[in-house]
Amino acid sequence: MTDLFFYIFATLTLGCAFGVVFSRNPVNAAMFLIMTFIGMAAHFVMLEAYFLAVIQILVYAGAVVVLFLFIIMLLDVGEEKKHRVKPLTWVASLVGFALLILGVVSITSSDNIKTASDSLPEAAGASLKNFGYELFTTYQLPMQVTGFLLLIAMIGVIVLSKKVKTD
């Protein structure tokens, strides 16, 4: 059953990643990016890395893509015009893709890969509890200052992008 879910989420993630790359509309590309991040979060859940899954959804699918959409809407980016790709670009892309596949195959076929049980620490839950405690006690002021800086930056972008109407 786990294998079935892996293949479903892998297909979702790869399909949406191709949607990001090949979409001509930037808003649709950002929506595909959200679905790609959700697919990656599902993989983290299957690996029982729940903290990483939540962070993936909150930080990347939530904050980063919303920021991308905000900038896309402010810049009023339209669809990209189709242009002809040079043959040298195709050759360089194919060579890069072949090197990527060769690297992935060589890494996954080596015997140096640790199993999941060898690489996990004994008290993974305790370390996450300590991380959360430190984040919201010791580092509470830097977290709040960062939030206010992001708010000020957002207000600055809104003010700078506002168009003045002339009569």
Side-chain angles (χ1 to χ4, degrees):
M1 191 68 170
T2 306
D3 290 342
L4 176 67
F5 282 128
F6 172 78
Y7 289 120
I8 289 171
F9 291 130
T11 304
L12 170 80
T13 305
L14 286 175
C16 291
F18 281 119
V20 171
V21 173
F22 294 116
S23 178
R24 294 197 183 277
N25 188 344
V27 176
N28 290 343
M31 292 300 156
F32 279 125
L33 187 61
I34 289 174
M35 289 304 296
T36 304
F37 287 147
I38 290 172
M40 289 303 301
H43 284 291
F44 285 135
V45 167
M46 289 177 56
L47 290 171
E48 296 179 6
Y50 303 114
F51 179 73
L52 290 177
V54 169
I55 292 299
Q56 181 82 21
I57 296 293
L58 289 178
V59 173
Y60 291 109
V64 172
V65 177
V66 167
L67 181 66
F68 285 172
L69 284 172
F70 187 67
I71 291 171
I72 288 168
M73 297 295 183
L74 282 176
L75 295 178
D76 194 27
V77 178
E79 288 190 16
E80 186 177 315
K81 294 179 182 177
K82 192 173 185 176
H83 62 279
R84 188 170 176 87
V85 181
K86 297 178 182 177
L88 182 62
T89 305
W90 281 106
V91 170
S93 299
L94 290 174
V95 168
F97 183 71
L99 288 173
L100 175 72
I101 296 298
L102 181 69
V104 168
V105 167
S106 67
I107 288 173
T108 55
S109 65
S110 70
D111 293 332
N112 295 332
I113 298 176
K114 294 181 180 179
T115 60
S117 62
D118 294 340
S119 61
L120 287 177
E122 290 297 322
S127 66
L128 289 179
K129 184 177 179 182
N130 292 338
F131 174 74
Y133 181 77
E134 287 291 320
L135 186 63
F136 292 112
T137 56
T138 306
Y139 300 105
Q140 183 177 9
L141 181 62
M143 286 285 295
Q144 290 180 352
V145 169
T146 304
F148 283 121
L149 285 174
L150 289 172
L151 177 67
I152 291 169
M154 185 177 70
I155 292 171
V157 167
I158 292 170
V159 169
L160 289 175
S161 67
K162 188 171 181 164
K163 296 177 183 174
V164 179
K165 292 183 181 180
T166 57
D167 293 330

